[in-house]
Amino acid sequence: FKAGLPRIVGPNRDLLVSAIASITICVVSGLFGFPKEFVSATLPLWFGLGLLTVYGSSSDRALKNRLVPAVFAIPALVGLYLIGQLVASDRDALNARLARARSDWPSLIEATDNTGWLSANDETYLLRAGALEQVGRVDEALEAYKRGLDIHPHSTTLWLGRGVAQRSLGQISEALTSFEQALRFDPQDGRVLNNLGTLSASTGNLPRAIGYLERALEAESTPGDVYGNLSTTYRRAGEVVKAIETAREGMEAHTSSSLTNALGSALAAAGRHAEAVTAYNTGLSIDSDHVALWYNLARSLEVLERRGDAVRAYGEVLRRIGETLPDRRSFVEERIRLLERGSGSWQ
């Protein structure tokens, strides 16, 4: 390369200038991140370096003229094959991203089915894992997360995704390990802290959960449901005032059905059922199919002795759960019978 660079003279000058131009183009495109997104964008670099290396390997110009066809015959064929593979890889990567934007999970899975060593990267496996989770193939999603981590073992997002998948399969200790690994690589990722908080709460470790969720509020990439999760955890820990304050603080930033449910539950725990009813109705105006809101609304209406309204709210619960939750259905049906007889009350 060093020998060939200053010898851009003679009949092959145009070819060598083309080689240097190829390298320059690749370097410039690299400034815009194209090679990172599409592997085949690096091909001009290798083509240019190959030409310069051959021309710099001998001072005999005639020999070089004979070497070029001989040396590049087989590599050219190999190169054409690799170019085809890389272009196909970039096509599949682009199709996968478009499918992700459309939430077209089967198409995304199909686009990443043939990921090979040329096209393998952590983003491809991250996209594939997410799509597999969406269609219920969580075991396969875990394998995709593993392959992605083999390439990029320090990826916070891959560790986080793996933990979420493990948690959905009931692998609590494994999920905790994955979340802790994710936190190790990015201690300020609010998504990770939020998951660690809710996981700790689900195992009954409320002080630890509160610690993680409070940190999540001050972290980066904090998801909107942190306020609701922290409010719920405060309420479970008996800190009702903090639960109400946290939910209201969250609603100042963004009102959601889950957040209004957390606020209503905190108000109900404080005995303020009329305010709780208002909060639940606000949430139902956002999402009228939120079963927990209808159920909690019915409970507060019972306490307020608004039996007719409570029966109607319980009826909305039954209409939405169908036959999927037989135990909950039996309980709600019993509440309705008691209310219709005039004996139902949570007080």
Side-chain angles (χ1 to χ4, degrees):
F1 176 79
K2 290 181 179 179
L5 188 59
R7 298 176 181 173
I8 308 178
V9 294
N12 297 302
R13 184 177 187 279
D14 292 342
L15 188 60
L16 292 179
V17 169
S18 298
I20 295 177
S22 297
I23 297 172
T24 304
I25 290 171
C26 188
V27 171
V28 172
S29 70
L31 298 177
F32 296 94
F34 295 138
K36 181 178 184 298
E37 299 297 326
F38 302 104
V39 181
S40 58
T42 62
L43 289 174
L45 173 65
W46 306 115
F47 175 75
L49 288 176
L51 284 176
L52 289 177
T53 301
V54 170
Y55 272 85
S57 63
S58 171
S59 60
D60 187 337
R61 188 171 304 165
L63 177 60
K64 283 187 284 187
N65 290 336
R66 294 193 299 271
L67 278 174
V68 170
V71 170
F72 275 91
I74 295 177
L77 294 175
V78 175
L80 287 174
Y81 171 77
L82 293 178
I83 288 173
Q85 293 298 307
L86 289 172
V87 170
S89 165
D90 288 345
R91 178 202 62 207
D92 291 340
L94 181 58
N95 287 337
R97 293 177 191 177
L98 292 173
R100 174 67 180 84
R102 300 191 306 269
S103 298
D104 184 355
W105 312 121
S107 294
L108 197 162
I109 294 169
E110 181 181 356
T112 56
D113 269 341
N114 299 316
T115 300
W117 66 270
L118 281 172
S119 57
N121 61 70
D122 55 303
E123 183 186 5
T124 299
Y125 286 117
L126 180 62
L127 289 171
R128 179 175 178 80
L132 289 167
E133 285 184 90
Q134 290 292 332
V135 299
R137 294 158 60 180
V138 184
D139 287 327
E140 294 176 68
L142 279 178
E143 178 61 24
Y145 283 123
K146 179 181 180 300
R147 291 191 177 186
L149 287 167
D150 288 341
I151 298 170
H152 189 353
H154 298 159
S155 171
T156 298
T157 304
L158 282 168
W159 281 112
L160 173 61
R162 186 187 192 196
V164 171
Q166 290 168 327
R167 183 177 181 178
S168 71
L169 292 174
Q171 302 173 6
I172 303 302
S173 61
E174 292 86 347
L176 179 61
T177 299
S178 293
F179 290 147
E180 288 175 341
Q181 280 289 91
L183 191 65
R184 174 187 170 196
F185 297 123
D186 189 353
Q188 289 300 312
D189 193 312
R191 303 169 303 167
V192 179
L193 290 163
N194 185 41
N195 276 279
L196 278 167
T198 56
L199 184 63
S200 299
S202 71
T203 61
N205 193 337
L206 299 183
R208 185 179 184 186
I210 289 172
Y212 280 129
L213 292 170
E214 287 178 339
R215 285 175 59 189
L217 287 181
E218 306 298 327
E220 301 171 357
S221 305
T222 300
D225 61 350
V226 170
Y227 286 98
N229 292 334
L230 181 56
S231 175
T232 299
T233 308
Y234 277 142
R235 175 174 56 81
R236 290 180 56 194
E239 300 185 53
V240 179
V241 174
K242 283 188 176 181
I244 295 171
E245 291 175 348
T246 301
R248 283 185 167 154
E249 183 181 349
M251 289 182 65
E252 290 178 2
H254 175 67
T255 300
S256 67
S257 56
S258 59
L259 196 51
T260 55
N261 187 48
L263 175 60
S265 298
L267 289 166
R272 297 157 60 177
H273 289 279
E275 295 175 73
V277 167
T278 300
Y280 294 138
N281 281 325
T282 299
L284 288 169
S285 69
I286 300 171
D287 182 2
S288 61
D289 289 323
H290 198 297
V291 176
L293 279 169
W294 282 113
Y295 179 74
N296 290 332
L297 173 61
R299 292 181 60 181
S300 284
L301 289 170
E302 272 200 71
V303 174
L304 295 171
E305 297 188 351
R306 293 168 55 180
R307 290 186 173 86
D309 291 334
V311 168
R312 284 189 287 274
Y314 278 132
E316 295 293 338
V317 174
L318 293 178
R319 190 161 69 87
R320 285 166 174 79
I321 65 175
E323 303 297 330
T324 58
L325 300 170
D327 292 340
R328 174 58 62 89
R329 186 176 185 86
S330 297
F331 178 81
V332 172
E333 289 172 341
E334 178 63 21
R335 297 309 304 171
I336 291 175
R337 282 192 292 270
L338 290 172
L339 286 166
E340 289 177 337
R341 290 201 302 263
S343 58
S345 175
W346 284 96
Q347 290 182 313

